[in-house]
Amino acid sequence: MAVTASARTTRPPTVTSRTGAAAVTATLVLLVTALAIVDITQGTAAVGAPEVWKALTGRADPADASVVIASRLPRMTAGLLVGLALGMAGAALQAVSRNVLASPDTLAVNAGSYLALGVAAVTGVSLPLLASSGIAFVGGLAAAGIVLGLSSLGAGTVRLVLAGSALTLGLTAVTEGLLLLFPRETEGLYRWNQGSIAQTGFDGVLQMAPLGAVGLLGFLLVARRIDALALGDDAARGLGVPVRTTRVTVVVLAALLSTAAVTLAGPIGFVGLCAPALVRPLARRFRAFTRTRASIPVAGLVGAALVLGSDVLLRALVPADVAVAVPTGVVTSLVGAVFLIVMATRVRDGAGAAAPDRLHIRSRAVFLTTTAVLAAALVGVTIAAVLMGDSKLLLGDVVNWAQGRSGRAVTFVLDTRVPRVLAALLAGAALALAGTLVQAVTRNPLAEPGTLGVSGGAGLGAVLLVTTVPLAGPWSVAGAAFAGAAASSVLVFGLAARGGFQQNRLVLVGFGVATGASALISLLIILTDPFNATKALTWLSGSTYGRTFPDVVPLAIVLAVGLLVAVLRRTELDLVSLDEDTPRLLGLPLARGRLGFLALSVLLSGTAVAAAGTIGFVGLVAPHAARALVGRPHARVVPVAVLLGATLVCTADLVGRTVIAPAQLGAGLMTAVIGTPYFLYLLVRSRR
Amino acid sequence: MRRILLTAAVATTVALTLTACGTTEPAADDNAKKSGERITLTDANGAKVELDGPAKKVVATEWNVVENLISLGVEPAGVADVKGYKTWGTAVPLKNEPKDIGTRGEPSMDTVASLKPDLVVVTNDLPPAAVKQLRKVAPVLELRAADASDQIGRMNTNLDLIAKATGTTEQAEKVKKQFDAKVVEGKKALADADLDGAKFAFADGYVVSKQVSIRPFTSGSLIGAVNEKIGLKNAWTVKGDKNYGLGTTDVEGLTKLGDVRFAYIGNDGDKNSTPFTGVLAKDSVWKSLPFVKKDNVHRLPDGIWMFGGPESMGKYIDSVVEALTK
């Protein structure tokens, strides 16, 4: 409990009068008003400040007036509403969970709504706005329930975000799978997921505004109880406050508010996280803001300022015609990612004892059997992957092909299919090895290239090169991916090192970098190649599409080197992963060894991303499962993890290629669907 | 447990290996030489494409190529997103039932390969890696799908290249002549109706959860170029992209058009594609636009593929002339 006690419970040292708080509120109102006014002067029509003024005073020509009334004002109001709703929801969630990182995004509310809408779309029912927001509400509430349940209220600051972010990844993967499986039914859902406050008329705003009012009113009614919760559950109970009921009420209200925002504008990321965080320093100065009744509306105002500010900023920086294509959600996601990282480096992370795996002592026979079984499985999957696809082949075909005697069709099919199978196998193995190394070095069971943002950075590097030099060769793509991976890992490890490599902070900073990278990838593709959504999906969802033998050569070389180093340095890995002191006592140069292993894992993830896109969770699942199967010694973990990783990605690729053939699903989607429950399971287990 | 796993894995592997023996086609040691004259082409990237003779079995990844093939009398063996083409390209309908090779963005190599095509025609919209892979399957003719600096020239060049590869140059000349005739005819009809130099804007639009986005076809687009060819003046001031000449705008962006004639193509098979009759009908910005007030908004027939070839552009001219002169 003590860990997560937020600033709100500690009494501020300098307490100023009520007038101070009133002045701050007034300033905020002025700021929001100013932003709102600037916002209505921006847009694609030639309606600037003078025309808006005339329209508002009723002297403009009807065309300009209708632009202001039917387009600008609804957009501004939507921004205002969305910001208010998300800011209030975030503040309330943070108060009842006593967790400074709680928010609609980190509780996977948006992802839950997105999936619910996707499922509704697939079933083919066309729904009116209110009914579809009802479905979104149910989905969002369910997701929030899962995350809160897994992370146990008020128990772990960071655990909540990890559970929420992982669930977001998993749910989004399922939804994206639906998008690909049912392209016609779910058309529009992809763009909706980017989030934009643009409106056509006041209809949407008018339908959603009452929900916002209900939320605000509800919060104000339970405000005193929320304040009591800040004292701790027992103290609150002592005051006669029904703890459980209050929590449930607040979560439901917050889900309601975020659903209203999501229905109106799609997911506008991270506002619910940032707004209350910006209010917190104020609460330290002005005592009035320590009360929920004041802090929730103020957080709402800050939220409105964030959304409108992003919209104004975007339109100020890029021409209006381009700005139309850039979703507001991408901008707030970028801002939010930076914010998440800053918060992560400051948050106190006491949960240091994150799940040391139980020491399994396994016999040599168990290790050998496991390896044999896995090797057999890998061979089986590889054979299946080579033979299956849109056209089924038989082994004799492969033999003929290998001897260069196959007929035309078989040669064609295998020439294109085998590189993909190879890319999947090698990428899986490389990611598993990278995950093993990272987990050993950081002694962090949640660390892996995907969750650390290294894969995201690699993807960004690769996309940067591919958009600027369309004909880049495999080596330069691998180089760019490595550069991106290196840059993001320097950022992540550098920031996490400042706090002495706190267990979960590392992963939190990583999640921030991963979010920022995927927002930047979306932005880059919207700005350079707006009519090519496939390109974005390929890099974001991980795919072996279009790979040829030369593309996998860099990966094969790096993997070979990586395996060699891991085998030669297996004892050092064991020692590094043990604890801080033993290697020192033995006189090992710890820092240099760690750096070497990290560099190797970054190289592995970079080349894997270049070959197969950003595939998440493999680096997490494989080493864990390996340790559970054969114990901790790296001489055993490395081969088992690598075999597991290769089998997993190859299976995912095989499924992705065959289930909706001739169309394709990315391998990354499949691994996310498998990896998310596993990640959540690890979180639950480490709670004990 | 472990034993069961072991047995299962080994059994699966053995079973797979056993059932998968044999071949699906005889080992071919001889490469039967094709008769007929060899064809050598230079494609849009300057790459040499060599064919043993006129291609008969052709696979196409983009719908403008599909349309060109149909116009040239070549029935494509494989087409990306057949259902989509049947929705958006009804003006130049498929005459056969080609094999679906997957999405236009990521066509399946496996399916293309299994068709054993003589020629695969792709555009630069396909990722370079995929083109490289297709080259192993069959000779690949890579076209530049669109070029905002000269759309009509690009359209004709593409038709010529496909015609050369399929030995249908005579038919291509006919198709181009028909298009030229349509241009002359359309220009005259418009001039007769006193519409020469009339300000005109063409767009399509999409609704996504009540948000409307509109795609202006600037003078750099194919339809924009055709409009100018028949004497209309493109009213869009939005900047288009360098390939398709398409821009992005929203409803209020339409206010910059002023007093124009406005036309669009939607699709009844895709309910998100007709905002102009749906969501916008009640929108006061839309209703205040001068061309909406004067009832100068024209919905052209569904199924004219807006990025197609000479035949669909000919049909476009017919329909736009009919709409404006009515």
Side-chain angles (χ1 to χ4, degrees), chain A residues 20-33 289 301:
Chain A
V24 172
T25 315
T27 318
L28 270 175
V29 171
L30 270 179
L31 173 69
V32 171
T33 317
F289 291 139
L301 278 178

Side-chain angles (χ1 to χ4, degrees), chain A residues 82-99:
Chain A
V82 166
L84 279 169
L86 291 174
M88 292 195 299
L93 285 172
Q94 295 187 2
V96 293
S97 62
R98 287 196 289 275
N99 190 329

